[in-house]
Amino acid sequence: MRENFKGRDFITLLDYTKEEIETILDVAQDLKRKRANGKPHLLLAGKTLFMIFYNQSLRTRNSFEAGMTQLGGHAHFLDPSKIYSPALEGDEKAYATERVSDVARVLARMGDGISIRIYGDPVEWIYGKANYLVNNFAQWADIPIINMECDKYHPCQAMADILTVKEKFGGFSGVKFVMSWAYSPSVHKPLSVPQSAIIAATMMGMDVTLAYPKGLELDPDVVKASEEYAKKFGGSFSISNDMREAFEGAHVVYPKSWTSKHNIPPESEKPEMEKTKELFDKNKDWICDEEKMKLAHKNAVYMHCLPCDRGFEVTNEVIDGPQSVVFDEAENRLHVQKAIMALTM
Ligand code: CP
């Protein structure tokens, strides 16, 4: 099975079969057990991961970096402003940028994997451009490219999310998973987390509800893929425009803010963040609080990828309360990424 993974990119879960995703979860659980038992697992001894971060990060950077150390390898942190910032053809600025095709081929001669985070300002909020750049790296590098979050997908986060559900509920069948929009004072939030979450949850056969106020629809291609997975893998997929209705009987609630795809290019001519702010401000009641948690199943868990906007997306009582599993979820980033790196690199 390991040979099926070697050399492959990890950009979206859509590129992997359900069986392959289950294998990654199995390997992650094995590596988690080994770490807990203090057993060495130097599967990437002497290997190098180059991490390019166009955006800030706490969890992603540190889980990849610690993960590579634990696997016996090393992760280099690359700030695009301190190298010649990798740029697409047409975006080049003399002696400030270097074409992605060149950066990819240089790093591929020196290391064993490249991981990239890019969304939002570095791609002028043009939806799909960050994903295109990550795929451009994959086109040119003959070593695995790992997506650390682009504007469409955050596949490593989704892997940690489903590992956490598996651990809390012992499996996925019959689990009602609610991915809900929640209010934030910031409109600068990509769609990657909810999009990858609904792909992963439907692929695992959960009963998935996507909830958001009208105007905050996700990418129709992602919704279509989720509907198809729900049919194929025995779960269900529905959309609600009512947070309370969505929470009824839920086993997993995942309330998180994301921006309006309708107000960024290519749907709008330029980013219209003020319009999105108006839409957000009409929906300040989309907060995960104790009253809404009471609507969910008595054993329900509260999830969030973090960082969260306390007092806006969620109350302190919920995120710090007994139903919150956010730190297990954050820890699981380490274990799933170690599995992805060990299998692909
Ligand atoms: N969840 C997540 O990706 O966190 P960071 O932005 O801190 O990496």
Side-chain angles (χ1 to χ4, degrees):
M1 183 56 129
R2 193 165 172 197
E3 284 313 304
N4 288 351
F5 287 91
K6 210 163 165 41
R8 282 174 69 183
D9 305 313
F10 195 76
I11 295 174
T12 166
L13 269 61
L14 296 170
D15 294 338
Y16 283 76
T17 65
K18 180 177 181 171
E19 289 72 26
E20 288 169 339
I21 295 300
E22 286 170 343
T23 298
I24 297 172
L25 292 177
D26 285 348
V27 173
Q29 286 184 294
D30 180 48
L31 294 177
K32 185 170 182 174
R33 219 172 291 117
K34 285 195 167 84
R35 176 164 157 77
N37 291 330
K39 289 205 177 128
H41 43 282
L42 306 177
L43 299 171
L44 296 179
K47 297 208 173 183
T48 298
L49 174 73
F50 297 109
M51 306 183 297
I52 306 176
F53 278 95
Y54 289 82
N55 308 85
Q56 64 213 86
S57 166
L58 172 70
R59 280 141 291 269
T60 305
R61 175 178 176 180
N62 291 294
S63 51
F64 269 103
E65 203 161 325
M68 272 306 278
T69 303
Q70 290 163 24
L71 290 168
H74 181 68
H76 287 220
F77 173 78
L78 297 173
D79 174 348
S81 71
K82 298 288 182 287
I83 52 178
Y84 307 98
S85 185
L88 292 166
E89 191 176 350
D91 286 346
E92 289 144 317
K93 293 187 187 80
Y95 214 45
T97 67
E98 188 164 2
R99 198 173 282 190
V100 166
S101 56
D102 296 345
V103 179
R105 283 177 289 183
V106 168
L107 294 180
R109 294 287 182 103
M110 298 173 184
D112 305 279
I114 303 172
S115 57
I116 305 152
R117 164 168 285 195
I118 182 165
Y119 58 80
D121 288 336
V123 281
E124 308 97 39
W125 286 95
I126 300 171
Y127 179 76
K129 187 172 176 180
N131 179 259
Y132 179 80
L133 183 142
V134 173
N135 277 294
N136 199 232
F137 263 98
Q139 185 188 326
W140 289 102
D142 58 4
I143 56 175
I145 299 298
I146 301 177
N147 183 358
M148 297 196 293
E149 188 172 12
C150 69
D151 48 8
K152 283 190 167 182
Y153 308 115
H154 196 349
C156 298
Q157 181 65 53
M159 290 302 302
D161 298 340
I162 57 174
L163 176 56
T164 308
V165 173
K166 189 179 179 196
E167 289 173 341
K168 300 300 170 192
F169 294 97
F172 302 108
S173 180
V175 172
K176 180 177 174 185
F177 181 98
V178 176
M179 182 76 237
S180 174
W181 184 86
Y183 174 73
S184 164
S186 166
V187 296
H188 294 90
K189 305 226 173 177
L191 294 93
S192 48
V193 167
Q195 296 194 156
S196 283
I198 62 170
I199 288 168
T202 51
M203 188 193 266
M204 292 300 110
M206 288 189 255
D207 294 314
V208 178
T209 299
L210 172 66
Y212 54 82
K214 286 197 172 98
L216 289 156
E217 289 72 24
L218 297 182
D219 186 329
D221 290 343
V222 170
V223 170
K224 187 164 173 272
S226 302
E227 285 166 347
E228 285 170 6
Y229 280 152
K231 270 194 209 118
K232 187 171 172 185
F233 297 121
S236 60
F237 180 77
S238 61
I239 292 179
S240 169
N241 297 127
D242 183 329
M243 196 179 196
R244 284 191 178 78
E245 177 193 78
F247 269 45
E248 293 275 357
H251 298 98
V252 180
V253 295
Y254 197 152
K256 148 114 192 57
S257 191
W258 63 81
T259 201
S260 167
K261 187 174 166 295
H262 306 308
N263 294 335
I264 52 175
E267 280 192 55
S268 75
E269 206 175 309
K270 56 182 175 54
E272 302 273 10
M273 294 317 203
E274 281 309 312
K275 267 194 199 165
T276 302
K277 177 85 183 126
E278 279 170 32
L279 176 60
F280 273 34
D281 286 348
K282 283 187 199 141
N283 291 290
K284 287 187 178 171
D285 57 332
W286 283 65
I287 179 171
C288 182
D289 55 17
E290 285 179 306
E291 179 249 312
K292 290 194 194 76
M293 286 302 291
K294 286 201 181 88
L295 301 169
H297 191 275
K298 64 178 171 29
N299 298 327
V301 297
Y302 163 81
M303 293 180 70
H304 195 292
C305 57
L306 303 178
C308 76
D309 294 314
R310 284 173 178 258
F312 299 103
E313 292 179 299
V314 62
T315 60
N316 289 328
E317 289 72 27
V318 171
I319 192 166
D320 293 328
Q323 288 169 289
S324 174
V325 296
V326 295
F327 299 108
D328 297 316
E329 195 181 349
E331 180 193 326
N332 280 337
R333 291 292 303 279
L334 173 75
H335 307 300
V336 295
Q337 288 158 202
K338 281 168 71 178
I340 293 161
M341 291 190 288
L343 286 164
T344 61
M345 290 167 59

